[in-house]
Amino acid sequence: MADYDYDLFVIGAGSGGVRAARLAAMSGARVAVAEESRVGGTCVIRGCVPKKFMVYASEYSKSFDTARGYGWEIGETRFDWPKFLMAKDIEIARLSGIYVRNLQNAGAELIHGKARLTGRHTIEVEGHGTVTAAKILVATGGRPWMPTDVSGIEHAITSNEAFHLEQLPKRVVVAGGGYIALEFACIFNGLGVDTTVVHRGPNVLRGFDDDIRSHVAEEMEARGIKVRLGTRITDIEKTADGLVSRCSDGHATTTDVVMFALGREPYTEGLGLDAAGVAVTENGAVKVDEYSRSSVDNIWAVGDVTDRINLTPVAIREGAAFAQTEFFNNPTTFDHEMVASAVFTQPQIGSVGLSEADARHKYGKVDIYMSKFRPMKETFYGGHQRAMIKLVVEQAGERIVGCHVVAPDGPEIIQMAAIAMKMGVTKPQWDATCAVHPTLAEELVTMRDKMAPPSLGAVS
Ligand code: NDP
């Protein structure tokens, strides 16, 4: 590979790109990574990590109420948004610095600038000229998608801007019913913002189990979030009183901030994929095989730019598998089955495997075990938040094919369930596990009564 400047050139220093670059460099390969923004990518800079800090901050309002119920005297509480933002930005800078150091310690070269493919082995980096590489990895991630048919859309923000609002708004409307819309709606609500969700579908979180979807929507409403379903924002007008969002059902909402979270798109603009002959899907994602190899045999892609499962740990595993295959002579693929995910709504969702509807479609006969209850932490002080746990079991082999938890720490709980399910656990094996008492999660191994089919509360 001596004819090229680098053995590997990675475009994008996010979760997938950094993991691949570090591993490849540790094999002794000459590796460079180009990043046009800050090192760390969406997850660290404008996604999972700062979002989780916001979730933590916003959860305190409920914690204060709970604490009072447990006997604490708590005076007036006040949230200082600028103080929080500053602390959050310092922590993000620290984490980004760790990513930079990890790359450098592994021996990878970091180049700041937007990279563009000019051929299958050539890359032009803004401000740095053209370099050549034997292998190229595209790991540019995704970015918020904005509709073009909403008049006044320029007044709306995306999640990118939500992390840097100068002031905490008093009123916000969030368009969308997916991960980002609901997580931010709960964050704003927890911080005391009057919050409305506007979603076109009959229920939020399409793709999740229907009982979970209904339960989360109900719990969000119980916390004071207005959830407006079956409608969409068609027009945003700036007035003296704020931004007026008009909806297709004739309803209008006036708020200080309008946030759109209608999905994300692969970030390939200006990347020169066509110059290199790299094929893309209808959605503009880089087409790859199971080894993340594109249609050009020396170019690979991992993470959100391939639009497979758009989650940080998946990008990391795809990047690692690529590096193992190409730089450690150890052909490795990442298995995209049984990947657990979390939605940091309040209450939170942890989910792995199939929804009841998908399991019925795939296996025909399934057994459903479901429990909806007020955890003991709530009952003590008269709190109303309900947890929900649902298991989906395919009848023939008794394998647990879906596990869904809506609860504080639901995402922490699901990580452990995911291990057992990845190993193919059956319901009898699951039930043989003794409960841990007193916990919320013990309900997982104590559900013995099947729901009468089809499960109650299912919404199509
Ligand atoms: P999602 O795909 O989760 O949700 C998009 C939402 O926008 C859906 O409710 C969809 O409705 C709606 N929508 C799409 N197009 C339109 C339209 N033209 N008009 C009105 N509504 C529309 O996207 P997000 O932006 O929330 O998140 C993107 C991805 O990022 C997620 O899928 C996930 O992979 C990742 N992510 C993961 C997180 C986590 O792990 N906790 C957190 C945040 C993001 P409909 O359902 O009807 O299609």
Side-chain angles (χ1 to χ4, degrees):
M1 295 198 227
D3 295 335
Y4 299 105
D5 298 326
Y6 298 101
D7 300 319
L8 172 66
F9 195 96
V10 180
I11 307 180
S15 303
V18 166
R19 180 56 59 97
R22 281 178 57 202
L23 280 175
M26 284 155 76
S27 78
R30 296 165 306 154
V31 178
V33 188
E35 172 57 55
E36 65 177 24
S37 175
R38 295 170 65 195
V39 173
T42 299
C43 172
V44 177
I45 307 299
R46 62 194 83 80
C48 324
V49 175
K51 178 276 306 288
K52 190 84 185 270
F53 292 139
M54 290 172 92
V55 170
Y56 284 136
S58 66
E59 283 175 340
Y60 279 97
S61 51
K62 180 167 184 343
S63 301
F64 293 138
D65 285 344
T66 311
R68 289 188 184 98
Y70 275 84
W72 286 90
E73 297 287 336
I74 297 178
E76 197 187 328
T77 56
R78 196 182 73 81
F79 179 64
D80 187 334
W81 174 251
K83 185 175 174 181
F84 166 76
L85 283 192
M86 197 184 297
K88 180 221 18 143
D89 289 341
I90 289 170
E91 182 61 2
I92 297 303
R94 187 182 74 84
L95 295 170
S96 180
I98 291 174
Y99 268 62
V100 171
R101 276 197 302 283
N102 284 346
L103 275 174
Q104 287 167 343
N105 291 344
E109 183 185 338
L110 181 61
I111 305 174
H112 288 283
K114 182 169 173 66
R116 184 170 65 90
L117 299 170
T118 50
R120 52 178 293 166
H121 288 287
T122 51
I123 311 108
E124 185 184 287
V125 188
E126 227 166 43
H128 296 270
T130 296
V131 297
T132 60
K135 296 177 180 181
I136 295 171
L137 178 69
V138 176
T140 48
R143 62 179 178 180
W145 174 81
M146 288 294 251
T148 49
D149 60 349
V150 175
S151 101
I153 190 72
E154 67 277 9
H155 300 306
I157 63 164
T158 68
S159 54
N160 287 349
E161 293 75 42
F163 291 115
H164 303 285
L165 292 171
E166 272 178 32
Q167 289 176 344
L168 185 64
K170 289 197 166 38
R171 306 159 297 178
V172 67
V173 61
V174 184
Y179 283 77
I180 296 178
L182 298 195
E183 289 182 343
F184 271 92
C186 292
I187 287 168
F188 283 126
N189 175 63
L191 295 177
V193 180
D194 180 341
T195 306
T196 305
V197 171
V198 174
H199 173 49
R200 67 178 175 186
N203 206 350
V204 296
L205 289 174
R206 186 165 59 82
F208 281 79
D209 184 89
D210 287 334
D211 289 314
I212 300 296
R213 298 168 69 191
S214 308
H215 182 67
V216 169
E218 282 166 21
E219 289 292 313
M220 285 176 58
E221 285 185 308
R223 286 180 176 224
I225 297 173
K226 285 158 266 182
V227 182
R228 300 185 48 74
L229 299 173
T231 184
R232 53 186 288 275
I233 297 174
T234 53
D235 170 78
I236 307 165
E237 189 190 348
K238 194 170 185 173
T239 70
D241 184 34
L243 298 168
V244 179
S245 301
R246 293 190 190 85
C247 295
S248 50
D249 61 358
H251 192 271
T253 312
T254 305
T255 57
D256 310 301
V257 165
V258 179
M259 177 175 156
F260 267 60
L262 301 189
R264 293 173 64 83
E265 61 185 358
Y267 181 36
T268 58
E269 190 183 299
L271 192 55
L273 291 176
D274 42 354
V278 175
V280 295
T281 67
E282 256 178 39
N283 300 339
V286 178
K287 253 191 201 167
V288 288
D289 68 11
E290 57 180 332
Y291 288 95
S292 296
R293 191 191 290 260
S294 79
S295 58
V296 177
D297 66 7
N298 70 303
I299 300 180
W300 288 257
V302 295
D304 289 6
V305 76
T306 63
D307 199 18
R308 285 175 279 181
I309 300 180
N310 298 331
L311 298 173
T312 294
V314 173
I316 290 173
R317 296 293 286 267
E318 289 167 355
F322 156 75
Q324 283 292 335
T325 305
E326 295 302 319
F327 293 93
F328 290 88
N329 200 21
N330 175 27
T332 307
T333 56
F334 172 65
D335 176 11
H336 290 81
E337 288 293 310
M338 281 294 177
V339 172
S341 78
V343 191
F344 292 95
T345 41
Q346 296 169 39
Q348 304 175 350
I349 306 171
S351 174
V352 58
L354 300 175
S355 67
E356 177 180 343
D358 288 346
R360 284 195 191 286
H361 185 70
K362 182 166 179 181
Y363 295 106
K365 290 189 173 161
V366 297
D367 290 330
I368 303 298
Y369 299 82
M370 191 159 79
S371 176
K372 222 186 223 194
F373 56 100
R374 278 196 306 153
M376 62 188 285
K377 186 173 179 186
E378 291 289 302
T379 55
F380 178 85
Y381 77 103
H384 298 292
Q385 186 177 299
R386 290 164 310 155
M388 181 173 171
I389 293 180
K390 180 167 178 178
L391 291 179
V392 182
V393 181
E394 53 98 4
Q395 259 182 22
E398 293 188 283
R399 257 185 335 122
I400 300 183
V401 293
C403 177
H404 313 280
V405 178
V406 185
D409 296 328
E412 304 287 345
I413 295 167
I414 212 70
Q415 179 68 81
M416 299 309 293
I419 297 172
M421 288 171 62
K422 186 84 184 165
M423 294 170 74
V425 69
T426 64
K427 184 69 164 55
Q429 289 169 329
W430 184 274
D431 289 347
T433 308
C434 188
V436 179
H437 185 71
T439 65
L440 183 153
E442 68 182 297
E443 195 73 10
L444 273 174
V445 293
T446 53
M447 291 190 293
R448 297 285 185 270
D449 298 330
K450 293 174 197 169
M451 305 283 297
S455 88
L456 299 174
V459 173
S460 60

